[in-house]
Amino acid sequence: MRRSEALKQLDKKSRNKLRAILSNGNGDVNAINNLDQLRRTLNRGQLDALEVALNSPASVKAAHMAAPFPKTPPFMDRLHQPRRASLEELLRIIENRAAGFRERLISVVESFYEIDEAYAAGDIHSCQHRIHKSIKIDGWSHAILRRIVLIRENLPLGKENETIENLVQQADLKLIVVSSLVHLYARDQNYLTIKRAILNLADRGTINRYSRTMSRLAVQPFARSKEELAGLLSEVENCSLIDAVILAKFNSHLIRIDDFKVIAEVANKLGNINLFEKLVATYDASDPNSEYEFFKQSSTWLEYEPIRQYRLLLDNYYDTSIEHINSLPDQFVNSLRDWVGDVKLCDLVGEVAFTKHPYTNLAKLELSGRVTRSAIFNYWLYHSGGQIGFDRNNLFTLMGLTYDLARTIPINAVRTAAKLAKDSLVKLILLLLLAKRSKNEHDSFLLRKLLEDVTINAYDGELVKLVEAYEATHPYVSEYIYEIATEDFLAKLNKLAPHRADIPEVRASLHEWMARFTKDEHFLERARKVRIDHQLNRVRNEIDDHRIYVDPSRFSSWFEDEMMIELNSALTSTGSGKKGVSINCDETILSMVMRQCYNAFCSNSVFGIASYIGRRIRHGTFHGHLYSSVINQIEKGENFQRLSCSPQFSEKWCVWKDSYNRSIEEIIQDRLHVNSKAKPLGLLHPNAYTPQKLEILSAAVKTISTAFAETKSVADIELHIIDFCWRLAECDLIAVTKYLKAQQVPLKNLPYLNNDLLPSAAPTNAGLAKIFRRELEHSVDLKLAAMFGWFKRPSIVAPKASLSLLFDAIVAEIKDTIPDFNLQEDENSNGEVELVGSAYHIVYDSLAVVVANAAKHGDCRRPVRRSFTITSGKEKQLIVNISSSIRPTDDPAKVSAIIRERKRANFEDANLYQGKSGISKLILLAHNRQDFSLDQYDVLGNEVHVRLTYNLEH
C-alpha cells in the first residue's frame, strides 16, 4: 500500500494532523510525542494505515537523521527514516559508512580497551576520565552506556561517584533504554523477571520500535534469522555506528563477516581476549552469587568472543521468555557442544570445572556459581529428551546449586523424566520443578497424588513434618514445597486436608516453619493472619464458592511480564545508594501502574474477574439459578397442577416465562460484562474512578511507596497491588448488586402477571392463582437475594471484616478457654464499621488482648461497653473505647496499681512469654507500628477504660 492510499484510510482531521507532523522539519524532537497522541485516537485499522504511512520510503522532513558518533545521548525514541533493505544491502550500507569513518572507529575501539583495562585494574577514576574523553571525541553509544551503568551499579553500597551519576542523569534515567539497563545490572534484581519485562514492552509500532530494540540489546542480542538481524541492525544503527558493528560481530553466525572488509577489521580489534580474563577476575570467585552478577552484567562486553559463547548457552537454556526451548541453528549446536562437552549430572555436583572452554577465571566463577549449572542441567535434559536416569543424591544436591530451575526447565523433557523415574523422591523433585512452569493440570494432579502418598506413608500425613525432614539435608526442597503449598493447592489435597478448616491450619504451620527456617518474623505474621481469617470465617459460618475470583499466580506472572519495568522506573529511578536517590517514589507512575493493573485484574480474559463472570456466572449458574430453578420449582410442584390444566392459563404462563427468560438473557448478554465499546451496558467500570475509588488508589500508592521505603525491594509488592485491586473491585461489584436489586420488580413483569396471567385462571382457582403469584414472587426474590452474595470479594483473599464480627471472632476464641465468658454488645456501638486488609489484623491482635484481660480479670456478669468512631479529615482514624467492670471482690486501687506497674515494665520481650504480658504486648505493638497507639489504659471508678487509636488508609 502506498503512503497516499494509507492516508486515505484516516479521517480528514487525523490525516491533516499526520501531514503536519511529518512535514515539520524542526519538529523531530516532538514528532514521536505528537504521533503518540494521534495514535491514541485511532482504531485498529487506522493504526495499521498509520504504520504503513510511517514506514513508507518517501522522505519525511520530521525524520531525525542518525549520527554515526552522536554528541548527545541517542536513547530517546525519534522518528527515523525507515530502511527497507535486505541484510546484505544493510551491511553494505554500514560497510560504506564504516569505510568513511574507519579511523574514528579504530579510535573508539582503543577507547573501549583503555576503559576496560582501567576497570579490570580497579581504577575507577581512570575509567571515568577515559569515558569522558571517549564521549567528547567520539560521541555516545549504547556500548559506552553499558560501561557507565556497570561502574555505577558495582560501586560499594552507600558509595557514589558524582561523575558517573551525572553521566547517567545526562543519558536520562526516565528513558526506557537507560532505566531498563539500570534495573538489569542492579544487584537486587532478578534477571529473568527483568528480561521478561523488557521483552514484553508494549509494541506501539514506529513510535517505540527503536527503544524496544535498544532495550532488548542487553538481554537478547542474538538474532535467529537474517530477517530478524536486519530489523535489529536497522534500529541499532540509529544509535551509533560502533553499536551496529558490535551487533554484526555478535551475530556473525548469520553473515560472512569477512565479506565486509572494514566491519571485519574493526570487529577483530574489538574485545581483546587477553583482557577478558582480567575482567572476569573483577568478580569474586569465592562468592556463589558472583557468577549471577557477572551474567546479569555480561552484556557490557558483547564484543568479546567468550561472552558470545557464554551467552549462547545462558540465553537459550536459562530463560523464561518462551515456554519451550527452540531448536538452534547448526552453528550454535556445534559451538555449544565444544563449550559444554559431554557433561553428566555427577559433573555438575563435583568440585572440578565442568565446562570445556579455555578461560580459567570464568571456569572458577562457573564452578562456584549456580547460573551455568542451571543452564547446563536444562541443556542436558532438553537434548536427552528426559530419557535419562537420576541418582537421587546427586539430584538433591544439584537443587541447592542452581537458580530458578522451576522457571526455566524444559517442560516436555522433565515430564518424560518424571514418568520414567522409579524413585518416588526423584519423581517428587521433578514434579515440583514442573509445578510452576507447566500449566498442564495433569502435572499438578500427579504432584498432589505423590505428595500425599509420601507424606502419609512416611510423615504421618503432616506436610510440615515432611518439610522439616528435608530442612537439615536439602532445605531447598523444603522451600519448593512451601512455595507450592498455597491455600489453593492445599484445597485439592483431600487426604492431607480433608476438611475446609484443615487448609488454613496446614498453611499456617508452613508459615511458622518458614519463620523458624529464615529467622524472619514476617512469616509468623502471615501465619497469624491465616488463623485470624479462619477464625473470622468460622464465626461467619460461610462457605465461599468463589464465583468471583482472580488467580493470584497468573496475575503475578502477568505483572512480571507487563508492569515490572514501569514499577521499577517509579521505585528505583535514581538507583540504590547513589547520589540523588529519593525514597519519595514517583506517585504519577505508581498511580498509572495501579490503574493498568486494576484494568487487567478486571478485564483479562485468562485470569481477570471478567473471565470468572463469563465461565462461572454467564455461562454457568446465572440462568439456571434465576430461571430454571424458579420455573421448575413452580411447574413440578403438585400445588399448582390444577392451574396448568387451563389452556388459557398455560398460554399466558408461557408468555410470562418467555418475557422472564428474555429479561434474564438480556442481563447475561449485555450487563454482566466489563464496560467497553463492544459492551457499552457492561456494569463493571474499571476505567471510571469515583471519589471512593480515587481514595483507594491514593492509599495504594502510599502503601507501595512505604513498603519500598522499608525494604528497598520490589519483591512481594504485587501482593499489595492484588489487595488494592480487590478493594477497587468491591466498589465496582457493588454496581452489579445494585443493578440486580433494581431488577426485582421489572423481572416479575407485575402488570402482565396481575392483569393477564391471574385473570386467565378459572374462577374456581382464583384463590390458588393468588397463592401462585405470591410463591412466584417470593421465589424470584429469594434467588436474587442469594445472587447478591455472588458479586463480592472471596473471603479467602484477605477478607474485610466489620468490627462487630472481629469482636465475635475474638469472643469465640476466648470462649474456647473461658466458656462462661459472654460479651454483650452496647446498643449504641457503631459495630458495622468495616476494615480491609492488614488493618483488621492489627485491630484483632490488640482487641484480643483487651477483651482477654476483661474476660480473665473483669466482672463477666456485667456487659463490656464499647464504642467505635471514625474521625473525618485528611488523616482518618478509628478510635475504639472499651470499658469493663472490676469484680466486686477486687479493690480498684490495687487494680490501678497493677496496671501502672505493667505500663512501666520492660515491653521489648513481651511476645516471648505468657501471663501478665497483655499490656506490655499492647505497648510493644504501639512501639513497632506507626499506625496504632495505646492512648489510655486506666482505672476510672469501678471500671477499666481502654482507648485504642488506629490510622486508616481510606
Side-chain angles (χ1 to χ4, degrees):
M1 187 190 303
R2 297 165 62 95
R3 177 183 289 175
S4 58
E5 295 172 344
L7 288 172
K8 289 178 183 178
Q9 296 193 24
L10 303 177
D11 59 77
K12 186 176 180 180
K13 185 177 180 181
S14 299
R15 193 160 57 237
N16 290 336
K17 283 184 179 179
L18 179 58
R19 282 176 173 148
I21 294 169
L22 299 183
S23 62
N24 185 358
N26 298 321
D28 58 272
V29 174
N30 296 318
I32 286 293
N33 290 334
N34 294 335
L35 282 170
D36 197 23
Q37 292 176 8
L38 172 61
R39 189 177 185 274
R40 294 175 187 177
T41 66
L42 305 179
N43 59 36
R44 182 169 296 179
Q46 291 174 322
L47 288 173
D48 292 339
L50 175 65
E51 279 300 300
V52 172
L54 294 175
N55 287 315
S56 169
S59 61
V60 172
K61 289 185 179 180
H64 175 73
M65 299 302 294
F69 304 93
K71 291 299 182 183
T72 58
F75 309 119
M76 178 189 297
D77 275 304
R78 293 178 182 268
L79 184 59
H80 295 114
Q81 198 70 38
R83 288 193 187 278
R84 288 188 173 273
S86 67
L87 179 58
E88 291 292 321
E89 293 169 334
L90 189 56
L91 286 168
R92 287 296 171 197
I93 294 170
I94 296 173
E95 169 73 8
N96 292 335
R97 295 185 76 192
F101 295 104
R102 177 183 173 278
E103 296 303 323
R104 291 193 68 178
L105 285 172
I106 298 298
S107 172
V108 173
V109 171
E110 292 172 353
S111 295
F112 285 179
Y113 177 83
E114 292 173 355
I115 293 167
D116 292 348
E117 187 177 42
Y119 182 81
D123 190 348
I124 301 302
H125 178 76
S126 178
C127 266
Q128 67 186 39
H129 172 72
R130 295 176 187 281
I131 287 172
H132 254 299
K133 180 182 176 183
S134 179
I135 291 175
K136 184 177 180 180
I137 297 174
D138 297 313
W140 282 83
S141 64
H142 195 267
I144 204 78
L145 175 67
R146 296 196 295 268
R147 285 163 169 81
I148 293 169
V149 174
L150 174 79
I151 294 170
R152 179 183 192 264
E153 296 307 314
N154 284 347
L155 289 171
L157 287 175
K159 299 292 183 180
E160 59 190 44
N161 184 300
E162 187 171 354
T163 302
I164 292 297
E165 190 64 29
N166 287 339
L167 284 171
V168 173
Q169 298 297 339
Q170 188 179 341
D172 196 346
L173 262 168
K174 295 179 181 178
L175 300 178
I176 194 67
V177 176
V178 182
S179 64
S180 63
L181 195 61
V182 168
H183 303 322
L184 186 69
Y185 285 8
R187 288 188 178 98
D188 60 346
Q189 293 288 3
N190 182 283
Y191 174 85
L192 295 176
T193 298
I194 296 300
K195 178 177 180 177
R196 286 180 64 180
I198 290 172
L199 296 180
N200 282 285
L201 286 170
D203 183 357
R204 294 184 290 147
T206 305
I207 291 172
N208 74 334
R209 185 177 300 138
Y210 173 75
S211 62
R212 289 179 71 242
T213 301
M214 296 308 300
S215 298
R216 168 196 161 169
L217 199 57
V219 295
Q220 192 168 294
F222 279 108
R224 293 183 176 274
S225 67
K226 291 186 175 183
E227 292 74 21
E228 185 181 358
L229 179 57
L232 289 174
L233 277 173
S234 65
E235 297 298 330
V236 172
E237 183 199 9
N238 288 321
C239 185
S240 75
L241 187 55
I242 191 65
D243 285 320
V245 174
I246 291 173
L247 182 64
K249 178 182 180 180
F250 195 86
N251 287 279
S252 56
H253 59 283
L254 294 173
I255 59 177
R256 292 178 54 179
I257 199 167
D258 290 337
D259 291 349
F260 307 96
K261 183 178 177 182
V262 181
I263 293 177
E265 180 188 4
V266 175
N268 289 333
K269 292 181 180 294
L270 280 165
N272 187 293
I273 294 295
N274 296 326
L275 186 55
F276 172 74
E277 283 279 76
K278 295 179 182 178
L279 291 170
V280 177
T282 61
Y283 295 85
D284 182 6
S286 65
D287 184 349
N289 295 317
S290 287
E291 192 213 357
Y292 189 57
E293 298 303 320
F294 170 73
F295 169 55
K296 290 199 297 182
Q297 300 171 349
S298 62
S299 58
T300 306
W301 306 291
L302 290 179
E303 63 271 26
Y304 286 78
E305 180 60 25
I307 292 293
R308 181 174 179 271
Q309 299 291 331
Y310 178 74
R311 294 291 294 256
L312 182 58
L313 172 66
L314 273 294
D315 284 1
N316 287 289
Y317 295 95
Y318 184 73
D319 185 25
T320 60
S321 59
I322 52 175
E323 185 171 337
H324 298 286
I325 296 173
N326 294 321
S327 57
L328 302 177
D330 291 340
Q331 308 96 303
F332 282 5
V333 174
N334 295 331
S335 296
L336 275 173
R337 189 177 294 116
D338 294 339
W339 185 270
V340 174
D342 187 22
V343 69
K344 297 180 177 61
L345 183 60
C346 58
D347 299 325
L348 292 178
V349 298
E351 297 181 357
V352 296
F354 45 80
T355 44
K356 305 305 177 187
H357 56 73
Y359 308 108
T360 306
N361 287 336
L362 180 58
K364 290 179 181 177
L365 208 58
E366 292 169 334
L367 185 61
S368 68
R370 302 180 177 187
V371 187
T372 299
R373 273 193 176 91
S374 305
I376 292 180
F377 181 67
N378 292 336
Y379 169 86
W380 178 54
L381 275 172
Y382 174 75
H383 287 282
S384 67
Q387 298 187 27
I388 45 177
F390 291 93
D391 177 86
R392 179 203 291 184
N393 292 330
N394 285 343
L395 181 61
F396 272 53
T397 302
L398 184 68
M399 293 302 101
L401 299 174
T402 50
Y403 277 150
D404 292 314
L405 280 187
R407 301 175 64 187
T408 60
I409 46 94
I411 294 174
N412 293 333
V414 175
R415 186 177 290 143
T416 300
K419 191 181 298 183
L420 297 176
K422 294 190 170 125
D423 187 311
S424 62
L425 293 180
V426 169
K427 187 187 288 285
L428 178 62
I429 288 294
L430 296 174
L431 290 175
L432 283 168
L433 291 176
L434 266 181
K436 287 186 178 181
R437 186 118 160 98
S438 171
K439 300 297 187 292
N440 191 317
E441 175 58 27
H442 185 62
D443 294 330
S444 181
F445 167 76
L446 292 175
L447 171 62
R448 295 195 303 270
K449 186 175 183 301
L450 181 59
L451 195 60
E452 285 185 325
D453 290 344
V454 171
T455 306
I456 291 170
N457 293 334
Y459 302 99
D460 301 324
E462 295 186 35
L463 196 58
V464 72
K465 286 187 177 180
L466 181 147
V467 168
E468 289 171 341
Y470 287 129
E471 178 185 345
T473 54
H474 304 96
Y476 25 85
V477 177
S478 299
E479 289 182 87
Y480 269 135
I481 296 172
Y482 168 81
E483 291 173 8
I484 292 298
T486 62
E487 281 90 340
D488 286 349
F489 183 84
L490 292 171
K492 299 176 182 178
L493 296 178
N494 297 325
K495 295 179 181 178
L496 300 185
H499 304 292
R500 190 166 179 265
D502 297 330
I503 298 170
E505 185 55 39
V506 174
R507 187 57 181 164
S509 66
L510 289 172
H511 284 315
E512 289 170 341
W513 168 81
M514 183 57 86
R516 295 192 299 271
F517 176 65
T518 61
K519 296 179 174 54
D520 185 349
E521 290 191 1
H522 167 70
F523 293 101
L524 288 178
E525 288 297 316
R526 293 179 71 173
R528 176 71 172 147
K529 172 184 178 298
V530 169
R531 288 200 169 97
I532 290 174
D533 290 346
H534 172 58
Q535 182 69 14
L536 292 174
N537 290 333
R538 190 179 80 165
V539 174
R540 284 190 181 107
N541 193 29
E542 67 177 29
I543 298 176
D544 199 329
D545 58 10
H546 308 315
R547 295 177 197 270
I548 300 297
Y549 189 64
V550 172
D551 187 327
S553 62
R554 289 187 176 182
F555 176 85
S556 295
S557 179
W558 170 87
F559 180 81
E560 289 182 355
D561 286 351
E562 304 290 341
M563 302 307 302
M564 191 58 76
I565 286 292
E566 285 81 358
L567 182 67
N568 277 307
S569 296
L571 297 176
T572 60
S573 58
T574 56
S576 176
K578 310 298 190 299
K579 181 178 178 180
V581 67
S582 176
I583 299 303
N584 296 321
C585 308
D586 192 322
E587 294 188 358
T588 303
I589 298 179
L590 284 180
S591 180
M592 179 274 293
V593 167
M594 269 304 305
R595 287 173 184 261
Q596 288 185 246
C597 286
Y598 179 56
N599 186 57
F601 194 84
C602 290
S603 307
N604 189 279
S605 60
V606 175
F607 60 75
I609 288 175
S611 70
Y612 286 88
I613 289 179
R615 280 180 281 156
R616 298 180 175 179
I617 297 180
R618 285 204 314 270
H619 299 153
T621 55
F622 194 93
H623 187 274
H625 181 83
L626 194 53
Y627 181 84
S628 301
S629 60
V630 170
I631 302 303
N632 290 342
Q633 179 184 346
I634 294 291
E635 291 186 337
K636 292 181 179 179
E638 296 181 359
N639 296 338
F640 306 113
Q641 292 298 319
R642 281 190 294 149
L643 290 175
S644 60
C645 293
S646 169
Q648 293 87 351
F649 185 89
S650 294
E651 181 181 346
K652 298 293 184 182
W653 172 235
C654 288
V655 173
W656 187 91
K657 285 194 299 181
D658 185 57
S659 171
Y660 181 57
N661 184 61
R662 283 200 310 273
S663 298
I664 293 172
E665 289 293 342
E666 285 175 7
I667 295 174
I668 292 172
Q669 293 173 13
D670 299 330
R671 300 288 183 172
L672 299 181
H673 292 273
V674 173
N675 185 274
S676 65
K677 289 182 179 179
K679 294 293 180 182
L681 299 178
L683 293 171
L684 288 176
H685 288 74
N687 293 319
Y689 278 81
T690 61
Q692 184 183 8
K693 288 173 71 176
L694 287 173
E695 192 176 352
I696 296 171
L697 187 66
S698 176
V701 171
K702 181 180 177 181
T703 299
I704 293 169
S705 301
T706 302
F708 179 73
E710 292 175 354
T711 64
K712 307 295 187 299
S713 171
V714 297
D716 295 333
I717 277 182
E718 74 267 17
L719 299 178
H720 293 292
I721 290 175
I722 290 172
D723 179 50
F724 279 99
C725 282
W726 273 118
R727 300 190 198 187
L728 290 167
E730 285 185 300
C731 296
D732 282 333
L733 290 169
I734 286 172
V736 182
T737 303
K738 284 183 177 179
Y739 176 80
L740 291 178
K741 287 180 179 179
Q743 299 309 302
Q744 283 183 294
V745 174
L747 275 173
K748 297 170 192 172
N749 195 1
L750 293 177
Y752 183 86
L753 191 64
N754 293 325
N755 301 329
D756 292 88
L757 180 58
L758 295 185
S760 68
T764 55
N765 292 328
L768 183 61
K770 290 180 180 180
I771 297 173
F772 172 86
R773 181 191 63 191
R774 286 198 301 270
E775 185 72 22
L776 180 61
E777 290 186 52
H778 181 64
S779 180
V780 173
D781 287 340
L782 280 178
K783 297 300 179 183
L784 276 172
M787 295 169 83
F788 298 158
W790 291 4
F791 300 92
K792 66 174 186 177
R793 178 185 195 167
S795 64
I796 66 164
V797 186
K800 65 182 178 181
S802 67
L803 282 170
S804 59
L805 178 63
L806 282 170
F807 256 90
D808 291 342
I810 291 167
V811 170
E813 191 171 12
I814 290 172
K815 289 183 74 171
D816 288 341
T817 54
I818 308 177
D820 295 335
F821 177 65
N822 184 25
L823 180 75
Q824 295 183 26
E825 183 176 352
D826 190 340
E827 293 180 359
N828 297 320
S829 179
N830 183 18
E832 294 312 309
V833 172
E834 288 191 322
L835 302 172
V836 180
S838 61
Y840 74 80
H841 295 121
I842 304 166
V843 176
Y844 189 102
D845 285 345
S846 53
L847 289 181
V849 171
V850 177
V851 177
N853 278 349
K856 292 176 184 176
H857 309 297
D859 187 353
C860 293
R861 295 172 300 176
R862 304 183 65 182
V864 174
R865 295 198 306 276
R866 65 196 194 189
S867 68
F868 310 123
T869 56
I870 292 182
T871 61
S872 58
K874 188 174 181 181
E875 294 292 333
K876 288 192 174 183
Q877 291 183 322
L878 166 66
I879 300 175
V880 178
N881 287 286
I882 301 173
S883 60
S884 59
S885 299
I886 297 173
R887 292 171 183 164
T889 55
D890 291 337
D891 182 354
K894 290 184 178 180
V895 173
S896 180
I898 292 171
I899 290 175
R900 286 198 302 271
E901 181 185 350
R902 297 287 177 262
K903 287 162 71 174
R904 289 195 298 266
N906 179 31
F907 58 82
E908 292 181 355
D909 60 348
N911 289 332
L912 301 180
Y913 65 95
Q914 286 300 114
K916 300 181 180 181
S917 64
I919 295 176
S920 298
K921 286 175 181 174
L922 287 176
I923 296 173
L924 178 61
L925 185 63
H927 178 75
N928 292 334
R929 302 283 308 213
Q930 294 181 348
D931 52 357
F932 166 69
S933 64
L934 174 61
D935 297 334
Q936 182 185 32
Y937 208 119
D938 298 302
V939 173
L940 298 177
N942 291 322
E943 294 181 332
V944 176
H945 287 252
V946 182
R947 184 169 65 250
L948 312 172
T949 301
Y950 310 87
N951 295 330
L952 302 179
E953 292 168 343
H954 71 279

